[in-house]
Amino acid sequence: MKRVLAVLAMIAAAGLFAACGDTHTHGNGAHNHANGSGHGHGDHHEGPKHPLGELDLGNGLKATVAQIGDVAAGKEGVFEVSLTRDGKPVTGAELEGYVGDENGKELGAPSRGEWMADEKVYDVHGEMPKNLPDKLYFWVRVRDGGKELKGKLAVKR
């Protein structure tokens, strides 16, 4: 009887592990849901995409920002930044983002954007402040030719 129970426990455990790394196709290509993101980046991108707008950073650079999901105090905020120069994607930029106040004071630690070639965006994750102010901004900061270029867009609440 002990052996039967042990075998059943192993079969159940194998089933759980097999379900964790589920890769499948939806007609738009195969992707992996191993982390529950459904985004294929190896991180969580849950909730609706909220376009925040476009920033003209200067030197021909434009940043288009989208917030993924809703923000919550003390939780992770997820943003995608499309950076272009003269209409063409910029792939090797020193780009970081952070949440701050209207004047640029950091309310969360800056986070370096990770280039995601499949979507042509920089993936930026940052912790939201424990107390969310009424007005919260997502700041994009880019180093370009020795200059720091930055701009802000209001976070969707």
Side-chain angles (χ1 to χ4, degrees):
M1 184 66 162
K2 286 182 182 179
R3 281 189 175 184
V4 171
L5 289 175
V7 169
L8 290 175
M10 288 190 317
I11 291 171
L16 288 174
F17 287 120
C20 289
D22 134 67
T23 299
H24 56 277
T25 304
H26 286 282
N28 61 348
H31 59 277
N32 191 333
H33 288 276
N35 59 15
S37 72
H39 217 57
H41 292 183
D43 56 33
H44 291 284
H45 281 214
E46 295 174 359
K49 185 181 260 191
H50 304 292
L52 299 184
E54 182 178 90
L55 296 168
D56 186 347
L57 299 171
N59 288 349
L61 285 176
K62 292 192 184 219
T64 303
V65 180
Q67 173 185 322
I68 308 302
D70 298 322
V71 295
K75 301 289 182 184
E76 181 179 65
V78 180
F79 299 87
E80 293 178 344
V81 180
S82 171
L83 188 65
T84 59
R85 173 169 276 141
D86 303 322
K88 295 181 178 122
V90 176
T91 62
E94 288 183 53
L95 180 145
E96 63 183 5
Y98 67 93
V99 291
D101 68 11
E102 190 170 8
N103 298 316
K105 178 182 174 191
E106 295 173 5
L107 301 176
S111 178
R112 184 167 169 79
E114 182 182 349
W115 176 249
M116 297 295 153
D118 61 331
E119 295 183 46
K120 295 182 176 42
V121 297
Y122 289 87
D123 188 34
V124 181
H125 291 240
E127 191 169 330
M128 294 293 115
K130 296 205 185 301
N131 297 312
L132 292 177
D134 290 336
K135 292 185 179 185
L136 186 64
Y137 296 87
F138 179 74
W139 285 82
V140 175
R141 189 163 43 201
V142 178
R143 293 213 178 277
D144 185 56
K147 292 183 181 177
E148 182 179 280
L149 307 172
K150 66 182 183 177
K152 70 177 185 285
L153 292 163
V155 170
K156 176 123 173 88
R157 301 285 307 258

